[in-house]
Amino acid sequence: MERPGAGGINSSEYENVSREKETSEEFEANAMDFLIDMPFATIDIKDDYGITDVPHINLERSKENERISKDQIKKRKKKQKDYQPNYFLSIPITNKEIIRGIKILQNAIIQQDKRLAKAMTSDGSFHITLLVMQLLNEDEVNIGIGALLELKPFVEEILQGKQLILPFQGIDTFGNQVGFVKLAEGDHVNSLLEIAEAAKRTFQEKGILAGENRSFKPHLTFMKLSRAPQLRKKGVKKIDPEVYEKFISHRFGEEMVHRIDLCSMLKKKQSNGYYHCESSIVIGKKPIGLRDLINEALHRERMSLKSKVKQIKELLLKPETQARIRRELFEGRSVNNSNQGNQVDFSANLA
């Protein structure tokens, strides 16, 4: 394609360029909207290699420190740019009263504007997000599972044997783009904030990019416009407060927290509509079934096995280990050849 200044482009090429630009801008907007219903907005990664202020011995050292500082700033900015959360800690909503109330709310909104049907959160996926993070491969997922298991005693310490009950009442939005059921005020909010902070600290100490710097605001999403990008083309650019006006102070019910899940944002959801779950921890006093106990035991065994396999892999990759294996194999072959030779000679002697 020629540059505009070197002869210009024809109308069809201009339309293709415009269409590609529009598609790219729409994709970027949708990608940003994907995380807008999370309790955080931007990542705050502290520099692990920060330089403390020290007296400069000479000009050359001062320049060197300045160069190092600039390199570290670039690294920090690169981490922030590359940080794209794809996993999160979820508190699933299982109270049928709450779920039934949200379905009534969603249906009431759809009756007023049928175009909003595709913007609704599907059945089975109602949850509260505690923490978002980035896990790029299986090893990092295993580290995340280990961090989740380590989080359990911290949660138990925060709750002090008490049951965490979350009451939901009223409706609000994030910028008229995401509709959510509000968590009522009370001591339970402080407990939830402490758990979220403990989770962030536990995962970050494992080297996982997790959390963001916007203050944690627990909420229960029931709709978001980014689920249906075509709505913008149809003129629906925001959620009209009138569609949920009758539910503005509605009491939806209470959720007794009994589980925290490590879920994937991108993997295929389960048959019940809930997110793909890598691991879970059971908390609180709610009676748990045999299946929950088996799942938690399997997760622990899986982590232990993965750790042992990783240690074996690392051991086999060491040069001294590989040299020893080669030496033993060579010696083994020499012995076998010698034995075969002896057998031949022995047979010959017998003959």
Side-chain angles (χ1 to χ4, degrees), residues 152-263:
K152 183 172 181 176
F154 292 111
V155 175
E156 292 175 344
E157 182 180 354
I158 291 171
L159 296 179
Q160 292 291 309
K162 299 179 181 178
Q163 183 66 53
L164 181 57
I165 299 176
L166 306 178
F168 292 93
Q169 179 180 3
I171 303 294
D172 202 352
T173 69
F174 289 131
N176 292 321
Q177 299 296 307
V178 177
F180 61 89
V181 178
K182 296 192 298 183
L183 183 63
E185 296 295 330
D187 294 338
H188 54 274
V189 176
N190 292 331
S191 297
L192 197 58
L193 293 177
E194 288 185 46
I195 292 174
E197 185 60 33
K200 181 178 179 180
R201 182 175 62 252
T202 302
F203 277 77
Q204 288 183 344
E205 287 176 353
K206 291 286 187 180
I208 295 174
L209 292 179
E212 296 175 307
N213 66 2
R214 180 170 141 178
S215 60
F216 175 64
K217 184 174 182 179
H219 61 280
L220 174 49
T221 300
F222 66 85
M223 70 175 295
K224 57 179 179 179
L225 297 184
S226 62
R227 292 185 184 280
Q230 65 273 20
L231 289 176
R232 186 174 292 274
K233 296 180 181 180
K234 296 179 180 180
V236 182
K237 298 181 179 180
K238 65 178 183 178
I239 301 173
D240 188 345
E242 291 185 2
V243 298
Y244 58 80
E245 185 177 10
K246 294 181 180 180
F247 296 84
I248 202 69
S249 299
H250 181 75
R251 294 178 181 272
F252 287 85
E254 298 179 340
E255 178 68 28
M256 184 179 295
V257 179
H258 67 282
R259 201 177 81 224
I260 297 177
D261 301 323
L262 174 61
C263 297

Side-chain angles (χ1 to χ4, degrees), residues 101-158:
I102 293 177
K103 292 302 297 179
I104 293 174
L105 164 65
Q106 290 176 326
N107 291 332
I109 294 175
I110 294 172
Q111 287 179 2
Q112 298 176 67
D113 191 340
K114 290 182 173 56
R115 296 175 299 176
L116 296 176
K118 293 184 178 180
M120 299 299 169
T121 301
S122 59
D123 292 353
S125 58
F126 297 127
H127 69 281
I128 289 181
T129 300
L130 275 179
L131 181 71
V132 295
M133 68 196 72
Q134 178 177 269
L135 303 175
L136 297 178
N137 51 52
E138 185 179 355
D139 287 339
E140 291 189 4
V141 170
N142 289 329
I143 294 173
I145 293 173
L148 177 61
L149 297 177
E150 290 185 14
L151 176 63
K152 183 172 181 176
F154 292 111
V155 175
E156 292 175 344
E157 182 180 354
I158 291 171

